[in-house]
Amino acid sequence: MVEQAKRTLAYLCPSCRQSVAVERSIFQLAASANELPCPCGKSSLRVEMMGDRVRLTVPCLFCGKDHSVTCSSHAFLHEKVLAFSCAASGLDCCYVGEEGPVFAALKRLEEAVDKLEAQAGEKGTFLDELVMHEVLSEIKDIAQRGGISCTCGSRNWKLQVNYSSVDLFCADCGGAMRIPAATASDIDDICCKDKLVIHGQA
Ligand SMILES: [Zn+2]
Ligand SMILES: [Zn+2]
Ligand SMILES: [Zn+2]
């Protein structure tokens, strides 16, 4: 039974785009809430065992949001491989299971992502052109009203456009804020804001 006592968990880091796979003993997983960070330190997978359910909070490379998913503890601890997917993109964002099957699934996902990115390079730079266009024009409106600031007091900011999100950076303290730009609900979210406040590092 020794070989069954460990589980492998994997996800793709939205920040550095590397796949992150970690092994944890069932004992470690059950003992307390587990924070499984990417080596880059910018994202982490959270696992909480709650009686007969397990809740995972998965940072998602595709839509830039965290997904909260649950499954039964039995499946979590015993299935060969469990896949959790991103509702916005339909792609898998997290695997849990035995080391071999998890790595095989992760490899297939990496190939799918490479293919998607190659396609995106041909067709367009964004997951959803329309959503990105709307989100950027909302940010522009907010900026024109002077609504972008940082908690450090600065009003100097820089913008970086990503595949499915937009990052705002404070030019003074380096604080950052990510605005998802993947789905129609992301447009709704930013439409109702009259200001954007970057969380400063001070
Ligand atoms: Zn990372
Ligand atoms: Zn997602
Ligand atoms: Zn700042």
Side-chain angles (χ1 to χ4, degrees), residues 15 26 46 57 63 65 69 74 109-110 125 146 167 181 194 200 202:
S15 192
I26 288 175
R46 200 175 153 78
T57 309
C63 67
K65 292 184 178 166
V69 294
H74 185 85
L109 179 63
E110 284 169 1
T125 327
D167 290 329
D194 58 351

Side-chain angles (χ1 to χ4, degrees), residues 20-202:
V20 184
V22 279
E23 196 184 54
R24 283 287 182 274
S25 70
I26 288 175
F27 180 77
Q28 283 173 311
L29 290 166
S32 62
N34 281 254
E35 198 85 44
L36 310 173
C38 172
C40 81
K42 297 218 173 103
S43 78
S44 63
L45 173 68
R46 200 175 153 78
V47 185
E48 284 169 279
M49 308 264 305
M50 307 179 297
D52 61 350
R53 309 285 300 166
V54 180
R55 180 163 61 207
L56 294 118
T57 309
V58 187
C60 179
L61 171 71
F62 307 113
C63 67
K65 292 184 178 166
D66 285 354
H67 295 293
S68 185
V69 294
T70 59
C71 68
S72 77
S73 299
H74 185 85
F76 182 82
L77 298 175
H78 299 283
E79 287 284 327
K80 261 189 179 352
V81 60
L82 284 170
F84 300 97
S85 61
C86 162
S89 67
L91 291 157
D92 292 343
C93 61
C94 177
Y95 297 112
V96 177
E98 294 170 14
E99 188 179 1
V102 166
F103 275 91
L106 195 58
K107 193 160 169 4
R108 283 196 301 275
L109 179 63
E110 284 169 1
E111 285 165 4
V113 171
D114 285 348
K115 221 174 278 171
L116 275 176
E117 285 180 345
Q119 273 174 16
E122 285 162 21
K123 279 197 238 150
T125 327
F126 310 122
L127 180 68
D128 188 315
E129 297 275 344
L130 181 76
V131 170
M132 182 57 83
H133 178 83
E134 288 296 317
V135 167
L136 282 172
S137 81
E138 285 299 324
I139 294 173
K140 214 181 288 168
D141 284 353
I142 296 169
Q144 275 167 0
R145 296 194 300 263
I148 301 181
S149 62
C150 176
T151 52
C152 76
S154 171
R155 288 191 172 269
N156 298 317
W157 50 273
K158 289 177 287 187
L159 182 136
Q160 180 187 310
V161 178
N162 307 314
Y163 180 58
S164 61
S165 64
V166 178
D167 290 329
L168 289 176
F169 297 97
C170 170
D172 290 311
C173 75
M177 174 185 200
R178 170 157 290 187
I179 299 161
T183 64
S185 73
D186 295 332
I187 303 175
D188 295 341
D189 283 351
I190 189 148
C191 272
C192 62
K193 292 201 169 97
D194 58 351
K195 52 182 176 180
L196 296 168
V197 180
I198 302 166
H199 220 80
Q201 304 207 320

